[in-house]
Amino acid sequence: MGENEASLPNTSLQGKKMAYQKVNADQRAPGHSQYLDNDDLQATALDLEWDMEKELEEPGFDQFQLDSAEHQNVENSETADLNLESIQPASSPKGRFQRLQEESDYVTHYTRSAPKSNTCNFCRLLKIFCTAVILFIFGILIGYYAHKNCPSDASSSETLDLQLYQEILKTIQAEDIKKSFRNLVQLYQSEDDTEISKKIKTHWTSLGLEDVQFVNYSVLLNLPGPSASSVTLSSTGQCFHPNGEPCSEEARKHSGQDLFYSYAAYSAKGTLKAEVIDVSYGDADDLKRIKKMKNLTNQIALLKLGKLPLLYKLSLLEKAGFGGVLLYIDPCDLPKSANLSYDTFMVSLNPGGDPSTPGYPSIDGSFRQNRSNLTSLLVQPISASLVAKLISSPKDRTKNGICSHLELPNNEKRVINLQVQTITKFKTVTNVVGYLKGLISPDRYIIVGSHHHTAYSYNGQEWASSTAVITAFIRALMLRVKRGWRPDRTIVFCSWGGTAFGNIGSYEWGEDFKKVLQRNVVAYVSLHSPIRGNSSLYSVASPSLQQLIVQKSNFNCSRRARCPKTNVSSVQIQGDANYFINHLGVPTIQFAYEDIKALEGPSFLSEALFSIHATRIEEMDPFFNLHETITKLSGEVILRIANEPVLPFNALDIALEVQNSLKGDQANTHQLLVLASHLRESAELFQSDEMRPANDPKERAPIRVRMLNDILQDMEKNFLVQQVPPGFYRNILYHLDEKTSTFSILLEAWEHSKSLASNETLQEALSEVLNRINSAQVYFKAGLDVFESVLVGKN
């Protein structure tokens, strides 16, 4: 706090006094933290008491004049057309005390004397009054122009106000998204994704997006063979296609290309004659039960999709000795509205990226490994109708409103001949990448990812929704950019190719630019398959971003009579966010519409890629209002992350998530809980001591904000483990599904240890989690030490 001092010469006046004036701090900007404590006020008061005692002991202070100052706070409230709730942090009224200046040649301004006459007194009073009025008016004029010309504490380069958000987002219209969707669907008939990629690039460029470019990679794809796979019953000789139709030329023509694309990419190929053994969902308990009854060596497992990652379940079957797998979705696990009994689907057995260049980019000159299949199992997806024929199940399996699950009785034996045909070829996968450069921090990136159709992949069209949504936001954003505005940080728009084969485009781009992305990426916003239903808004976010999701989700429910609890969690998701979550540790966010029944059913059903045609998407969202909502919600989140001076990440929420993941009666977690408690203490100190002051424009030194943001954007990197079971996330902050809150690698290790005499696997998993929590705790503590050193250096 600054004080102005001036000493007065001694005069004959008596009753020397000292007057102090309380002056409010400058008006706070809307970005000022609502959490600012009263510590500063208390510290200021203590300093003033000490100064007052010291000053009263000094000679030479004869007279002080008492003044007063008034401070008026002005609030501007605006009603937004879109009802997007941008929560403004409250200002903390931080008072400051200031000793008045003293005049060195002080003489009393008014000397009391005997009145000469009433007229004289009246004239003197009139002069004083007129002078006061003139000075008052003059002061108002000076104050007005000073306020008008002087910049506010939070300049326009530091934050976007609510009006600017609304101006950008209100131009997003459902009808425009619908037109874009239909135009994209018309391009689907192309056998090559080059035409679609060119269309996207041309469109983005015409909207004004800068430096839109193709990024191509030559990758190894596993494609359908020259003829469809088949399942033949040994007892009757009946041959069936994966959709349950008999093997015939007529059925093949009727099913079209969908029949060929019912396959498991990167499965082993060949023929296997063996007994079919029902393993249900194929978890450790199912296999343990079945091993006691049957010989599993080189048999064919009848496996339900869901509950656990497919790659993990296949690894268990492979270890158990199975030779093949018939994969299906039980109709009882799907919403009643989803009639998929005769529908076939595709899955990918690729954990991510080009299989021929694991861990490094597929650029010219890279060594190519020979990996035509990624498992020794013959894997074939089949429809529920074919399963019913194999187990001789009645068509109607619903009694009294209860659905009966498909199940092959243990006392019945089915022997089949499974034929799987696929081919591998090197093909070009194209990513479309465009940039909107930031004004203040152009080296910090918010990546927005959608995906487009890749040739030779499954006959789905949900990619058109993804591409239409990202294009609608680009259009709205560039309209504002053309008027002179720019975000503080760079926004990178990406349309990925090769998603259906294992997120190949995003993985290769990430591996290609890994060093740059590790240093510069702030967040990833996923627009993968935004419309999967129409009854519930479902959000997935990193723990540090969940509060931001809750704030923005209020926009959606404010249009309805009821405002349901925000459905947000940190769980494993499908799509191209995978690389950014698991290899870069980037905070990620995704909005999507789902069916409530689908959310209540088993997880990981979305690993199946069904043939969702444009008509189905338009049935779910006929007026494209849901598409508009997803675009606006995602858009405001992007704008906030791209423009707020301090990243809207919550460090404490990560520590709380860690503690919640260790709740329960699991053994051997005492040491983890102790360390998690230390992590929470460090996170609380970091959030209160460093993040709150940085939200005060008065204390928002650029170097301090930059240091703080660097710490915030790298928080999740501390939670990446090296080794995980197949299909599990390396980022342990993400759970398998909403039903489990325990760290996924600990959950798997506990289950695995039940069947083993040694608990070595469990101890390794506990050690991994312990080291990750310790790394985060050290990380926050080091951040506090760095800030403390900077402050000490300044003082």
Side-chain angles (χ1 to χ4, degrees), residues 724-744:
V724 292
F728 281 55
Y729 269 14
R730 289 180 58 208
N731 189 330
I732 63 174
L733 293 176
Y734 288 78
H735 305 299
L736 288 175
D737 54 40
E738 299 86 353
K739 304 175 184 67
T740 57
S741 59
T742 307
F743 286 122
S744 57

Side-chain angles (χ1 to χ4, degrees), residues 82 84 169 172-174 177 469 472 527 530-531 537 552-557 559-560 591-593 621 623-637:
L82 301 174
L84 290 170
L169 299 176
I172 298 172
Q173 301 295 327
I177 301 175
V469 166
L527 298 174
I531 308 297
L537 178 64
K552 298 306 109 187
S553 295
N554 289 336
F555 149 73
N556 180 64
C557 71
R559 293 185 171 188
R560 307 183 177 214
F591 293 100
Y593 270 95
D621 188 18
F623 302 106
F624 278 70
N625 292 329
L626 302 184
H627 285 78
E628 179 183 327
T629 298
I630 294 293
T631 309
K632 289 178 177 178
L633 286 173
S634 302
E636 186 171 0
V637 167

Side-chain angles (χ1 to χ4, degrees), residues 543-547 650-658 660 683 687:
S544 60
L545 282 170
Q546 287 192 10
Q547 287 194 25
N650 196 306
L652 181 57
D653 282 353
I654 290 182
L656 295 175
E657 182 70 25
V658 170
N660 290 333
Q687 190 145 314

Side-chain angles (χ1 to χ4, degrees), residues 306-327:
K307 290 192 175 181
L308 289 169
L310 175 60
L311 295 185
Y312 175 66
K313 297 197 290 187
L314 293 180
S315 70
L316 295 181
L317 295 175
E318 200 169 9
K319 289 178 182 177
F322 280 96
V325 176
L326 293 178
L327 181 66

Side-chain angles (χ1 to χ4, degrees), residues 296-600:
L296 307 182
T297 304
N298 215 31
Q299 305 294 2
I300 298 175
L302 183 62
L303 176 67
K304 294 180 182 180
L305 190 68
K307 290 192 175 181
L308 289 169
L310 175 60
L311 295 185
Y312 175 66
K313 297 197 290 187
L314 293 180
S315 70
L316 295 181
L317 295 175
E318 200 169 9
K319 289 178 182 177
F322 280 96
V325 176
L326 293 178
L327 181 66
Y328 74 103
I329 297 178
D330 195 315
C332 296
D333 293 336
L334 293 170
K336 293 180 180 180
S337 59
N339 184 17
L340 302 175
S341 296
Y342 292 91
D343 286 13
T344 54
F345 58 93
M346 170 191 173
V347 294
S348 175
L349 309 185
N350 179 13
D354 179 9
S356 70
T357 59
Y360 54 96
S362 299
I363 58 177
D364 293 341
S366 294
F367 172 70
R368 305 284 179 159
Q369 299 184 24
N370 184 16
R371 304 179 72 197
S372 58
N373 56 278
L374 301 179
T375 178
S376 63
L377 297 170
L378 295 175
V379 183
Q380 177 58 52
I382 61 175
S383 67
S385 61
L386 177 53
V387 176
K389 292 177 180 180
L390 293 177
I391 67 176
S392 302
S393 172
K395 292 184 178 180
D396 187 7
R397 293 182 300 277
T398 303
K399 293 182 180 180
N400 299 324
I402 300 176
C403 183
S404 300
H405 289 271
L406 291 171
E407 185 178 0
L408 178 64
N410 292 327
N411 59 350
E412 295 186 14
K413 186 175 181 179
R414 299 287 188 276
V415 178
I416 67 167
N417 189 63
L418 174 62
Q419 184 181 38
V420 176
Q421 298 190 48
T422 60
I423 57 175
T424 53
K425 289 183 179 180
F426 280 97
K427 295 289 183 180
T428 298
V429 164
T430 302
N431 298 325
V432 184
V433 183
Y435 299 84
L436 175 58
K437 298 293 179 62
L439 186 64
I440 295 177
S441 300
D443 62 334
R444 291 295 179 261
Y445 308 149
I446 293 87
I447 298 181
V448 185
S450 65
H451 69 103
H452 57 264
H453 172 69
T454 300
Y456 314 105
S457 65
Y458 201 61
N459 189 19
Q461 294 176 339
E462 75 282 352
W463 64 270
S465 289
S466 176
T467 305
V469 166
I470 193 172
T471 302
F473 180 64
I474 292 173
R475 180 189 298 110
L477 198 62
M478 298 313 297
L479 288 175
R480 186 68 188 187
V481 171
K482 291 175 182 178
R483 294 166 56 187
W485 172 86
R486 276 188 178 273
D488 290 352
R489 302 178 181 93
T490 296
I491 304 176
V492 184
F493 295 96
C494 303
S495 182
W496 306 115
T499 299
F501 293 96
N503 308 315
I504 291 181
S506 55
Y507 257 78
E508 295 310 307
W509 189 77
E511 291 170 349
D512 198 0
F513 298 94
K514 185 173 183 178
K515 294 299 181 183
V516 176
L517 299 177
Q518 281 178 328
R519 184 178 65 251
N520 294 351
V521 176
V522 170
Y524 184 88
V525 179
S526 173
L527 298 174
H528 179 82
S529 191
I531 308 297
R532 298 191 286 266
N534 57 9
S535 58
S536 178
L537 178 64
Y538 177 59
S539 310
V540 174
S542 301
S544 60
L545 282 170
Q546 287 192 10
Q547 287 194 25
L548 183 61
I549 281 273
V550 171
Q551 294 174 15
K552 298 306 109 187
S553 295
N554 289 336
F555 149 73
N556 180 64
C557 71
S558 63
R559 293 185 171 188
R560 307 183 177 214
R562 308 188 284 121
C563 185
K565 180 181 178 182
T566 302
N567 190 356
V568 57
S569 56
S570 299
V571 298
Q572 294 192 193
I573 56 176
Q574 300 300 310
D576 294 285
N578 189 300
Y579 185 84
F580 300 92
I581 294 172
N582 291 301
H583 294 270
L584 299 179
V586 173
T588 301
I589 205 164
Q590 174 182 280
F591 293 100
Y593 270 95
E594 287 270 16
D595 282 317
I596 293 179
K597 293 296 182 182
L599 295 175
E600 295 172 351

Side-chain angles (χ1 to χ4, degrees), residues 211-230:
D211 193 22
V212 185
Q213 55 189 252
F214 290 141
V215 185
N216 298 323
Y217 298 99
S218 178
V219 301
L220 185 66
L221 299 183
N222 188 242
L223 309 173
S227 60
S229 299
S230 63

